[in-house]
Amino acid sequence: MSDKVKKIIVVEDEPSLVFTLQDTLESEGYEVHTVTDGAKALDKVKQTNPDLMILDLMLPGKSGYDICQEVRDQKYTFPIIMLTARDQEIDKVAGLNIGADDYMTKPFGVKELLARIKARLRRANAYSKAGPVEMLKLGDVKIDLKESRVTKPDGVEHELSTREVELIQYLVSKSNQPISRDDLLENVWRYEYSTNTRTVDVHISKLRAKIEIQPDEPRYLVTLHGVGYMLRLN
Ligand code: CA
């Protein structure tokens, strides 16, 4: 764990909640930046480069959905915890689908929010420790993650989708360790709408065709029966 003070952006327009969150988070040792106008959220992200965002759904200027989408479009990967009012609960699937990592329904207990913040930061920290990597070699197969391209020793090239690059980055961050399908669903797909463990298997199989010389007998991206997958790196 890094000792660096973690920065949290709170995007919320309800003054009493802003006050409570700022007070609580600062007393827990976080550096807190607040934004009350949705239209200013992205600028604040660019200025402060936060470690985590708490994002209200209903905001003046711009909605939490739009902000979340913009933040992810700009390739920021920090965790986002969305705050929704009770009657907006139905929208949680949409929220997770556009890249929020978690959500809480108002009114919520501050202790529970703190616990979730800690969990998200811990996970983000583990994820970023090993990477992101730009280049990876699996035997004679070269994977350029910056250019999203795989080159086989016979010169054949494959394009990688954004999801495949994300999947590889996650596998690398946990290389030589068993990874369950649920772990991949949670951390690579973030439980997006309509994904299930079958989605994971389909993507792994497509990825193998690109990065393995013999996809039917994978040497690197192996299946651990009853457990999940593992990326073997030496
Ligand atoms: Ca609001």
Side-chain angles (χ1 to χ4, degrees):
M1 246 335 211
S2 146
D3 294 336
K4 202 181 118 244
V5 173
K6 297 289 184 190
K7 281 181 269 186
I8 298 180
I9 285 194
V10 176
V11 188
E12 170 62 67
D13 60 317
E14 218 173 288
S16 62
L17 187 52
V18 174
F19 179 80
T20 306
L21 289 176
Q22 178 153 26
D23 194 46
T24 311
L25 293 171
E26 281 178 353
S27 69
E28 288 286 316
Y30 297 112
E31 181 183 320
V32 182
H33 299 268
T34 60
V35 185
T36 52
D37 177 355
K40 292 180 179 155
L42 190 61
D43 283 344
K44 197 69 160 185
V45 165
K46 289 177 177 167
Q47 280 166 29
T48 57
N49 195 22
D51 298 289
L52 183 140
M53 177 186 258
I54 295 170
L55 179 60
D56 187 28
L57 186 59
M58 299 296 283
L59 290 160
K62 194 169 270 182
S63 81
Y65 286 132
D66 291 341
I67 294 167
C68 188
Q69 188 91 64
E70 281 180 358
V71 164
R72 293 304 186 223
D73 283 349
Q74 300 276 322
K75 307 288 180 210
Y76 287 100
T77 56
F78 55 75
I80 297 177
I81 300 177
M82 274 202 157
L83 306 180
T84 69
R86 194 183 288 279
D87 55 354
Q88 297 156 349
E89 205 170 359
I90 193 154
D91 294 333
K92 84 185 183 196
V93 168
L96 294 174
N97 200 22
I98 55 167
D101 298 87
D102 205 349
Y103 71 95
M104 294 200 73
T105 306
K106 293 179 190 174
F108 52 82
V110 171
K111 270 191 180 161
E112 193 188 344
L113 178 64
L114 281 175
R116 293 200 191 191
I117 288 171
K118 275 183 193 150
R120 289 289 152 190
L121 286 174
R122 201 162 45 228
R123 194 169 296 163
N125 196 49
Y127 183 77
S128 62
K129 228 187 319 187
V133 287
E134 295 184 353
M135 264 311 197
L136 183 66
K137 275 195 93 181
L138 300 180
D140 294 324
V141 177
K142 270 198 328 208
I143 306 176
D144 186 333
L145 290 157
K146 242 181 137 183
E147 300 292 325
S148 308
R149 191 174 49 229
V150 179
T151 312
K152 295 261 178 81
D154 57 6
V156 172
E157 292 194 341
H158 300 285
E159 287 268 326
L160 293 171
S161 69
T162 308
R163 175 81 67 202
E164 285 170 334
V165 170
E166 221 181 307
L167 177 56
I168 294 172
Q169 292 287 7
Y170 190 70
L171 290 166
V172 169
S173 78
K174 294 194 148 192
S175 57
N176 304 318
Q177 300 167 48
I179 309 175
S180 71
R181 290 172 174 82
D182 281 336
D183 185 342
L184 291 171
L185 268 184
E186 184 178 351
N187 290 293
V188 180
W189 278 267
R190 301 185 192 93
Y191 290 126
E192 283 172 16
Y193 184 61
S194 89
T195 51
N196 54 45
T197 54
R198 178 79 193 124
T199 312
V200 175
D201 295 337
V202 169
H203 276 80
I204 291 278
S205 141
K206 279 191 186 166
L207 183 57
R208 267 185 191 142
K210 296 181 181 179
I211 65 172
E212 295 276 358
I213 302 284
Q214 284 181 284
D216 301 341
E217 290 174 46
R219 286 187 56 182
Y220 301 98
L221 184 44
V222 297
T223 301
L224 302 175
H225 290 288
V227 180
Y229 296 102
M230 183 165 81
L231 181 68
R232 277 200 192 124
L233 295 182
N234 293 317

